[in-house]
């Protein structure tokens, strides 16, 4: 892991009109080859010029990220994409029309302009056009495509506030743009259009149901809801690493409200916490952190990563998380929780 060595500027940007000076400072750092954490509608990203090999290599060092895990390249308009890709399939045009700007990342066959360090040595490149105004304005001012993984230390829960970025990256990056909380709360949906059929590699803010409505047949990679089998190569290298994990031991409990309360109450020891829905609270006899409403997948997504980080602040040793429904954005919530729990699920 990289030593802490940089002086990190904290740049508040409430909106792009009133805080133009801070916007410009952040954009100049990016254009000059530096590292800037910035907000998007999903989670905060750690950005660098995607075409500058040295700048991109510094992202991997700052995060402690494995070199073979490729980065998403962020653009602020469709014209920026042409030079980065080898071809634009029909399906991409359809999806761009429906979901961009927004929480969707598409994987294309790449052009030679994208350095191997950015694409993790693959012959494809992931591209995303975010909807967050600060992200778009920052890319526009920097005037280069921006490579940006989530702005957390590798393995930790993704950051949904500037506070989370400060916790993980202070002293490791040149600047952190502070624009409050991210709306969606889980990372973008990743869909590959480089194979025979469109295939979801990571569920996110744009749902599988929405993608099927747009394209018809869409596959979901088996690694979304299960550990990779031995010897199988990950379609998305990020899926093979342990992820989103707090220090506590996280276990998912699948079952109804009563069964959930009965199980966690029977394990009360002062260090055991419930990560639960609002509706669970009245029956709980252990300390808890609420991460959303039982039927409200958007609120679960928005609070999931803060709830996981809060467990560390509380000193939780064991966390029993109530399993979300695996539909809509709930599939993304489930996918992240599974990795935080290292796939440990108890059926009640
Ligand atoms: O919402 C998001 O997507 C956030 C914000 C900052 O935009 N970014 C983000 O990046 O989540 P990151 O690096 O944490 O996750 C990118 C995922 C990884 O699982 C990576 O393996 C996969 O996308 N990925 C990137 N390029 C790929 C490629 N060419 N082929 C397959 N998977 C790819
Ligand atoms: Mg990440």
């Amino acid at each position: 892991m990289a030593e802490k060595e940089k002086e990190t500027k904290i740049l508040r940007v409430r909106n792009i009109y009133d805080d133009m000076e801070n916007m410009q400072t952040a954009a100049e750092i990016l254009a000059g080859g530096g590292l800037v954490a910035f907000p998007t509608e999903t989670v905060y990203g750690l950005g660098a010029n995607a075409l500058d090999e040295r700048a991109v290599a510094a992202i991997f060092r700052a995060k402690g990220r494995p070199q073979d895990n490729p980065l998403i390249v962020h653009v602020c308009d469709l014209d920026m994409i042409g030079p980065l890709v080898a071809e634009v399939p029909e399906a991409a045009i359809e999806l761009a029309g429906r979901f961009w700007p927004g929480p969707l990342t598409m994987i294309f066959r790449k052009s030679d302009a994208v350095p191997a360090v950015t694409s993790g040595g693959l012959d494809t490149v992931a591209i995303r056009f975010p909807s967050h105004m600060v992200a778009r304005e920052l890319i526009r001012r920097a005037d280069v495509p921006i490579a940006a993984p989530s702005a957390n230390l590798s393995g930790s829960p993704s950051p949904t506030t500037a506070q989370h970025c400060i916790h993980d990256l202070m002293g490791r990056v040149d600047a952190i743009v502070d624009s409050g909380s991210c709306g969606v709360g889980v990372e973008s949906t990743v869909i590959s259009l480089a194979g025979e059929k469109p295939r979801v590699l990571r569920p996110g803010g744009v749902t599988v149901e929405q993608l099927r409505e747009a394209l018809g047949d869409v596959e979901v990679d088996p690694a979304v809801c299960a550990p990779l089998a031995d010897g199988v190569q990950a379609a998305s290298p990020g899926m093979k690493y342990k992820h989103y994990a707090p220090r506590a031991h996280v276990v998912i409990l699948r079952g109804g409200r009563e069964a959930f309360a009965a199980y966690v109450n029977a394990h009360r020891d002062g260090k055991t916490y419930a990560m639960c829905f609002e509706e669970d609270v009245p029956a709980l006899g252990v300390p808890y952190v609420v991460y959303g409403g039982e039927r409200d997948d958007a609120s679960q997504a928005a609070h999931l990563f803060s709830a996981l980080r809060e467990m560390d602040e509380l000193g939780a040793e064991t966390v029993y998380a109530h399993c979300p429904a695996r539909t809509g954005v709930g599939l993304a919530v489930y996918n992240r929780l599974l990795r935080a729990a290292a796939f440990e699920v108890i059926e009640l």
Side-chain angles (χ1 to χ4, degrees), residues 42 65 69-70 72 74 107 124 126 128 149-150 187-188 202 236 238:
T42 57
R65 181 176 175 106
N69 194 1
I72 297 173
H74 296 65
I107 293 176
T124 52
R128 169 156 132 74
S150 48
E187 307 87 338
S188 62
R202 179 176 75 180
S236 172

Side-chain angles (χ1 to χ4, degrees), residues 63 65 149-150 152 158 187 202 243-244:
K63 277 185 61 98
R65 181 176 175 106
S150 48
N152 52 295
S158 295
E187 307 87 338
R202 179 176 75 180
H243 250 96
Y244 314 117

Side-chain angles (χ1 to χ4, degrees), residues 55-270:
V56 172
I59 292 181
F60 287 86
R61 285 200 302 276
K63 277 185 61 98
R65 181 176 175 106
Q67 295 282 341
D68 67 345
N69 194 1
L71 305 179
I72 297 173
V73 178
H74 296 65
V75 300
C76 63
D77 62 53
L78 297 176
D79 293 340
M80 286 176 91
I81 297 171
L84 305 172
V85 303
E87 61 178 1
V88 178
E90 278 296 309
I93 295 167
E94 179 63 34
L95 294 182
R98 292 195 191 215
F99 304 116
W100 272 356
L104 178 70
T105 296
M106 296 190 227
I107 293 176
F108 299 85
R109 293 207 299 116
K110 83 172 193 71
S111 76
D112 293 339
V114 179
V117 58
T118 303
S119 67
L122 300 174
D123 58 4
T124 52
V125 61
I127 297 191
R128 169 156 132 74
F129 180 177
S131 62
H132 197 292
M133 284 302 286
V134 173
R136 289 166 64 174
E137 180 64 11
L138 194 59
I139 301 165
R140 193 187 68 77
R141 284 178 186 247
D143 200 25
V144 287
I146 299 295
S150 48
N152 52 295
L153 287 175
S154 199
S156 306
S158 295
T160 53
T161 66
Q163 233 27 65
H164 296 160
C165 301
I166 290 169
H167 179 273
D168 281 19
L169 298 177
M170 201 65 187
R172 296 176 187 273
V173 302
D174 297 295
I176 296 172
V177 175
D178 178 355
S179 305
S181 308
C182 303
V184 177
V186 291
E187 307 87 338
S188 62
T189 304
V190 176
I191 187 167
S192 174
L193 303 173
E196 254 170 50
K197 275 191 190 169
R199 174 176 274 231
V200 172
L201 305 184
R202 179 176 75 180
V206 172
T207 66
V208 172
E209 293 88 338
Q210 286 175 304
L211 293 167
R212 288 196 170 132
E213 200 181 304
L215 298 182
D217 206 6
V218 173
E219 295 176 338
V220 176
D221 197 277
V224 164
C225 285
L228 272 177
D230 280 346
V232 172
Q233 211 190 345
S236 172
M239 288 192 295
K240 72 183 179 211
Y241 299 108
K242 185 171 178 183
H243 250 96
Y244 314 117
R247 281 191 298 274
H249 174 203
V250 181
V251 181
I252 299 173
L253 301 183
R254 185 179 292 147
R257 236 181 264 175
E258 274 178 34
F260 179 77
Y263 191 96
V264 298
N265 291 346
H267 289 77
R268 173 187 175 136
D269 63 2

